[in-house]
Amino acid sequence: MKKFLKAVGILLGAVLVLLVGYLIYLFASYHRIPDNQELKVVTSAAQTSNLSSLHTDTEYSALTYNIGFGAYTPDFSFFMDGGKSSWAKSKDSVLDAVQGAGELAASYDPDFAMIEEVDLDSTRSYHVDEYSILKDCFPDYNYVFAQNYDSAFLFYPFTQPHGSSKSGIGLFSRYPVTFALRRSFPVSTSFTKFFDLDRCYSISRVPVENGKELVIFALHMSAYGNSDEIREGQISMLTADMEKEYEAGNYVLCGGDFNHDLKASEDDDSERESWAYPFPRAELPEHFTFGIDLLTEEERDSLWNSARNADMEYVPDVTYTVTLDGFILSDNMECISYENINTGYSYSDHDPVYMKFKLKS
């Protein structure tokens, strides 16, 4: 018995040492990507000989799409949403999903595409460079990439550790981008910070013929029921930056995954998931509106929901769905059309949102 208890004690001691060592590693490895980081703008070869600025009273288009790091086929569920898996099913599945998502987005021929959850080198997506795949889908575009995930190796869940992740937000622009900047959102400072992204948005500047700029904000806001303080901090920071650009005389387009229910109003008492918080419209500055709010109530309600809950595989009329993705635009722009594209969540737990617009004279 003494030998047995001694062996158990040694085993428990070893486990404790490993646990403490891992926690030291986790905290020592944690870092936030710097705020106000200038981003590299990659100009395609096709653009170098045909650079031009935007024009007023001309139709342009924008698309936003969260591709879910290539994991979310319709039968995929994610452990952080209450589902099963931490990794995509296979490397081939990731390749097929990202290729399919990229080809779908490119088929709409958008002038600007904001694509979220693009992995560069992550355990969960078998280290597939998804950004390279997307660049091949948009060969004649200019590119800006803002990294928002650079995590240490996460040993949770124990049956399939999530591993390390490098991921971010890509902007694909048919028109020249003269400058781009990464802004760091406020995020949780509790232990949950190890499981969340290093939330951010990029600010990219595209010249307009009248001397102004179209300033594009590409974002991915926090989810998973983060605190009101963090939510309010992120919205306050974003809207302050947008307002500053408008006051400078620029056009402002903000697109991405807002991780808020964009169809619901704050006084809507309909049953919803705890993380699907209505976006507080009162926090938007004067001169800004969501593109979805420019539709009639009937048009808005009939829109396909842009995201599904990943706590289970996708089952039509059973799985919880919600619209998290979309665009904010300044009132010196005109929204011509607005569409949530219905693919049945074929390549991701999100579907794309597509908008046509004009810059007013």
Side-chain angles (χ1 to χ4, degrees), residues 211-236:
K212 300 179 181 181
E213 294 174 310
L214 171 63
V215 184
I216 300 174
F217 289 70
L219 61 75
H220 190 180
M221 301 182 80
S222 287
Y224 302 115
N226 272 305
S227 71
D228 289 341
E229 181 182 1
I230 293 169
R231 180 185 296 111
E232 291 165 3
Q234 291 188 356
I235 293 173
S236 176

Side-chain angles (χ1 to χ4, degrees), residues 184-202:
S184 296
F185 270 133
V187 297
S188 172
T189 56
S190 70
F191 193 77
T192 59
K193 68 185 180 184
F194 296 109
F195 298 95
D196 197 10
L197 308 185
D198 191 349
R199 302 286 178 176
C200 75
Y201 52 92
S202 62

Side-chain angles (χ1 to χ4, degrees), residues 42-61:
V42 179
T43 303
S44 72
Q47 285 290 333
T48 55
S49 60
N50 189 31
L51 295 179
S52 62
S53 58
L54 299 174
H55 297 270
T56 58
D57 301 317
T58 301
E59 184 175 292
Y60 298 104
S61 60

Side-chain angles (χ1 to χ4, degrees), residues 63 65 100-110 113 115 134 136-139 141 174:
L63 179 144
Y65 194 2
E103 290 177 357
L104 170 67
S107 72
Y108 280 81
D109 199 29
I115 303 185
L134 294 175
D136 287 342
C137 293
F138 292 93
Y141 285 64
R174 191 185 298 282

Side-chain angles (χ1 to χ4, degrees), residues 282-302:
E283 300 301 318
L284 276 183
E286 187 181 2
H287 307 296
F288 289 92
T289 187
F290 277 95
I292 195 172
D293 292 344
L294 298 173
L295 304 176
T296 66
E297 184 175 353
E298 183 180 1
E299 288 172 334
R300 184 175 65 249
D301 291 343
S302 66

Side-chain angles (χ1 to χ4, degrees), residues 99-276:
Q99 186 71 40
E103 290 177 357
L104 170 67
S107 72
Y108 280 81
D109 199 29
D111 293 298
F112 308 99
M114 301 89 150
I115 303 185
E116 302 85 50
E117 290 200 28
V118 180
D119 275 8
L120 299 177
D121 182 12
S122 303
T123 307
R124 63 188 187 179
S125 52
Y126 301 88
H127 305 284
V128 171
D129 183 350
E130 299 173 358
Y131 187 37
S132 291
I133 296 173
L134 294 175
K135 285 193 288 187
D136 287 342
C137 293
F138 292 93
D140 300 330
Y141 285 64
N142 302 293
Y143 316 112
V144 174
F145 191 84
Q147 189 169 334
N148 69 354
Y149 206 8
D150 187 10
S151 75
F153 194 98
L154 301 177
F155 276 101
Y156 185 82
F158 301 119
T159 54
Q160 189 183 55
H162 197 56
S164 60
S165 300
K166 290 185 178 180
S167 186
I169 305 166
L171 171 68
F172 301 82
S173 172
R174 191 185 298 282
Y175 292 85
V177 176
T178 57
F179 184 79
L181 188 73
R182 181 192 184 278
R183 294 300 320 273
S184 296
F185 270 133
V187 297
S188 172
T189 56
S190 70
F191 193 77
T192 59
K193 68 185 180 184
F194 296 109
F195 298 95
D196 197 10
L197 308 185
D198 191 349
R199 302 286 178 176
C200 75
Y201 52 92
S202 62
I203 304 175
S204 300
R205 301 180 176 277
V206 181
V208 183
E209 60 170 350
N210 58 10
K212 300 179 181 181
E213 294 174 310
L214 171 63
V215 184
I216 300 174
F217 289 70
L219 61 75
H220 190 180
M221 301 182 80
S222 287
Y224 302 115
N226 272 305
S227 71
D228 289 341
E229 181 182 1
I230 293 169
R231 180 185 296 111
E232 291 165 3
Q234 291 188 356
I235 293 173
S236 176
M237 177 180 171
L238 173 68
T239 55
D241 276 355
M242 291 196 303
E243 192 169 28
K244 181 172 66 176
E245 294 299 336
Y246 182 85
E247 290 173 351
N250 293 321
Y251 305 91
V252 178
L253 176 65
C254 176
D257 180 354
F258 290 87
N259 264 319
H260 288 74
D261 185 344
L262 300 187
K263 286 187 178 181
S265 61
E266 288 186 90
D267 57 1
D268 185 349
D269 58 1
S270 301
E271 185 175 342
R272 67 172 63 86
E273 295 290 333
S274 60
W275 45 266

Side-chain angles (χ1 to χ4, degrees), residues 24-40:
I24 292 172
Y25 156 75
L26 201 60
F27 278 92
S29 300
Y30 181 80
H31 65 283
R32 291 215 64 190
I33 299 168
D35 191 14
N36 289 304
Q37 179 187 73
E38 183 176 345
L39 298 174
K40 181 179 180 181

